[in-house]
Amino acid sequence: MSTLEHCDAPGLMPLKSAVQNILSQVTAVSESEVVSLALAHQRVLATDLISNMNVPPADNSAMDGYALRASDLKHTSTLQLIGTALAGQPFTGQIEQGECVRIMTGAVIPQGADAVVMQENTQINNDMVSVTHVPQSGHNIRPAGNDIRLGERVLAKGMCLGPAELALIASIGQADVKVIRPLTVGIMATGDELTPPGQPLKTGAIYESNSYALAAQLQSMKMKVLNYGIVADDKTVLRRMFVQADKECDVIISCGGVSVGEADFVKEILAELGQINFWKVAIKPGKPFAFGQLNKAYFCGLPGNPVSSFVTFEQLVLPLLKTLSGQRINLDKQAYLVAKVAKKVTKRPGRADFQRAFYERDEQGQLWVEAQKNQSSGVMSSISKANCYLLLAQAQGDIEQGELVKILPFAFLH
């Protein structure tokens, strides 16, 4: 991988090209571990999961009613009640001609029965059941394997396990699952102007905030986070921190020091330790971005402005982390909604713009979206007050009121 000084070259790299460039250089980790289902949320499946049973394991009733032989009702509408089948307590006998069994939802279908009539379509007189609406064979029966069949692939390798997947695994009787080991991600912020929260703020200084957003996002993905704190603009200190982080991490993420003219010794140290590209990506907020690999760890350099750091992490670093952790992703299938613009949106062509916005649905069901007034890359409140990104393509210009646009709800991310 050669070092490409995109920041010094004319033009900007399209966002999709930047992501594809990154992913083409990433090899997923192969190490795995077995964890209990209670600890498997947001972990990535290491192997295809094959079912060793049918789900449900036996034919069972889809509702409360009476299990019977449908053919008997061709000759009579009244059947003899001979017992009861409960969920977990099946009827052990066999239904013969002219007989039925009281059955509850989820109970195993008794031998001989091939239909269930719902209780609302019956009348009871002592032990005789009169059927007022005749069911067909198979009615109201959930067959064995209706959800999952023996030998079926339940989940594919690379699936990120959410609540539904955990329930699916539990339904085939597995108490644990084989997953990819968690990534170790190091984060650091560079700059003499940065001060940790809780400390007195000197003139010209600002509080460091990017690491808190990064750590929270990484922890929600069940990754191990090593926070190296604030690293001063000192060549010796920076080299020592990068060398240490390279030994301890799969990925290193730094904030600040990747723009043209910023901390040239950062670039010098990274070039010594590995191969790093510095790009201008056609994204707003964002643009300056660094990617490459040190001796062991992949490296991502984010802009220092908080909103730029936040957005470039989501759009450029998340695909890297997911791919590295073995997760299957499809760059061509991003979920989004379409809404009408409530107020005119100003944009200059040249960069894909992720404007922070708020969307809501009116009484007629129409989605409307309005961009936050202050779109500065240094105004983090523009994200905290928003619930979506208003997605504007690289070549797109101003958007007039009432025009349709794509929006990316924050709930769709990660």
Side-chain angles (χ1 to χ4, degrees):
M1 175 171 56
S2 61
T3 301
L4 304 174
E5 290 293 334
H6 283 284
C7 280
D8 299 327
L12 303 175
M13 179 181 289
L15 175 59
K16 186 174 181 179
S17 298
V19 175
Q20 290 173 334
N21 189 310
I22 291 170
L23 299 190
S24 70
Q25 301 173 51
V26 172
T27 301
V29 300
S30 58
E31 300 91 344
S32 61
E33 61 186 18
V34 175
V35 300
S36 70
L37 287 187
L39 300 175
H41 184 232
Q42 291 298 303
R43 299 295 298 274
V44 177
L45 197 60
T47 60
D48 287 349
L49 187 67
I50 308 300
S51 178
N52 59 0
M53 62 177 289
N54 286 321
V55 179
D59 294 353
N60 69 87
S61 180
M63 58 185 56
D64 295 345
Y66 295 87
L68 47 79
R69 304 187 336 167
S71 60
D72 288 350
L73 297 175
K74 295 178 181 179
H75 311 292
T76 181
S77 62
T78 302
L79 303 172
Q80 176 73 44
L81 181 63
I82 61 170
T84 300
L86 304 174
Q89 300 180 37
F91 177 77
T92 56
Q94 178 160 326
I95 294 178
E96 304 291 350
Q97 183 177 353
E99 297 176 338
C100 67
V101 166
R102 175 76 167 130
I103 194 166
M104 302 302 170
T105 302
V108 173
I109 301 297
Q111 289 186 12
D114 65 355
V116 172
V117 59
M118 65 175 67
Q119 61 186 15
E120 291 85 351
N121 293 333
T122 61
Q123 294 178 352
I124 313 301
N125 185 10
N126 295 323
D127 290 336
M128 302 303 295
V129 178
S130 296
V131 179
T132 59
H133 184 81
V134 178
Q136 299 298 310
S137 178
H139 275 197
N140 302 320
I141 291 178
R142 296 181 292 212
N146 185 48
D147 185 5
I148 301 169
R149 292 191 176 277
L150 173 67
E152 179 183 345
R153 186 177 73 173
V154 181
L155 296 170
K157 176 183 177 180
M159 169 69 71
C160 184
L161 301 176
E165 289 73 33
L166 297 179
L168 204 59
I169 297 170
S171 75
I172 61 173
Q174 289 198 198
D176 48 40
V177 63
K178 191 174 185 179
V179 294
I180 298 296
R181 69 158 175 86
L183 299 181
T184 299
V185 183
I187 56 178
M188 64 180 71
T190 63
D192 290 339
E193 78 282 9
L194 300 178
T195 301
Q199 300 297 317
L201 196 65
K202 298 179 181 179
T203 302
I206 58 172
Y207 285 117
E208 194 282 310
S209 61
N210 290 338
S211 66
Y212 295 90
L214 293 175
Q217 290 168 306
L218 294 166
Q219 288 164 354
S220 71
M221 299 172 69
K222 298 301 177 70
M223 296 182 180
K224 182 180 179 181
V225 179
L226 298 181
N227 193 338
Y228 295 97
I230 298 170
V231 184
D233 291 329
D234 180 285
K235 192 172 181 178
T236 301
V237 174
L238 272 169
R239 180 182 284 105
R240 183 174 68 247
M241 294 304 296
F242 278 126
V243 169
Q244 178 183 345
D246 183 40
K247 294 177 181 177
E248 298 174 338
C249 302
D250 298 297
V251 180
I252 303 168
I253 304 173
S254 74
C255 296
V258 295
S259 296
V260 174
E262 282 189 85
D264 289 336
F265 46 84
V266 173
K267 299 177 183 179
E268 180 183 337
I269 293 169
L270 292 174
E272 289 176 11
L273 301 178
Q275 295 174 309
I276 307 296
N277 296 330
F278 292 90
W279 302 334
K280 282 185 177 180
V281 180
I283 181 175
K284 183 180 180 181
K287 190 168 72 171
F289 184 79
F291 170 73
Q293 190 167 12
L294 304 183
N295 183 52
K296 168 180 171 286
Y298 293 101
F299 173 81
C300 293
L302 309 184
N305 281 327
V307 182
S308 298
S309 171
F310 200 91
V311 173
T312 51
F313 173 83
E314 291 176 331
Q315 297 304 314
L316 290 159
V317 183
L318 269 183
L320 159 67
L321 296 174
K322 289 180 179 181
T323 299
L324 187 60
S325 66
Q327 187 172 341
R328 293 178 290 110
I329 63 173
N330 189 334
L331 298 178
D332 296 321
K333 291 187 176 181
Q334 183 183 51
Y336 62 85
L337 299 176
V338 175
K340 286 186 176 181
V341 172
K343 292 183 180 179
K344 180 178 178 178
V345 177
T346 301
K347 178 187 180 292
R348 291 190 302 174
R351 287 193 279 170
D353 199 347
F354 289 75
Q355 295 204 9
R356 284 72 69 204
F358 190 90
Y359 78 97
E360 56 187 349
R361 193 180 300 275
D362 65 21
E363 294 179 355
Q364 287 71 45
Q366 175 63 53
L367 287 178
W368 291 88
V369 62
E370 182 175 347
Q372 296 290 317
K373 292 181 179 179
N374 194 336
Q375 293 289 324
S376 169
S377 60
V379 178
M380 196 62 187
S381 59
S382 68
I383 289 183
S384 66
K385 293 177 181 178
N387 63 0
C388 71
Y389 291 120
L390 197 162
L391 303 179
L392 300 177
Q394 183 173 342
Q396 208 163 358
D398 294 348
I399 307 297
E400 299 297 330
Q401 181 179 3
E403 288 190 45
L404 293 174
V405 293
K406 293 179 180 180
I407 61 172
L408 178 61
F410 291 164
F412 287 8
L413 291 164
H414 310 308

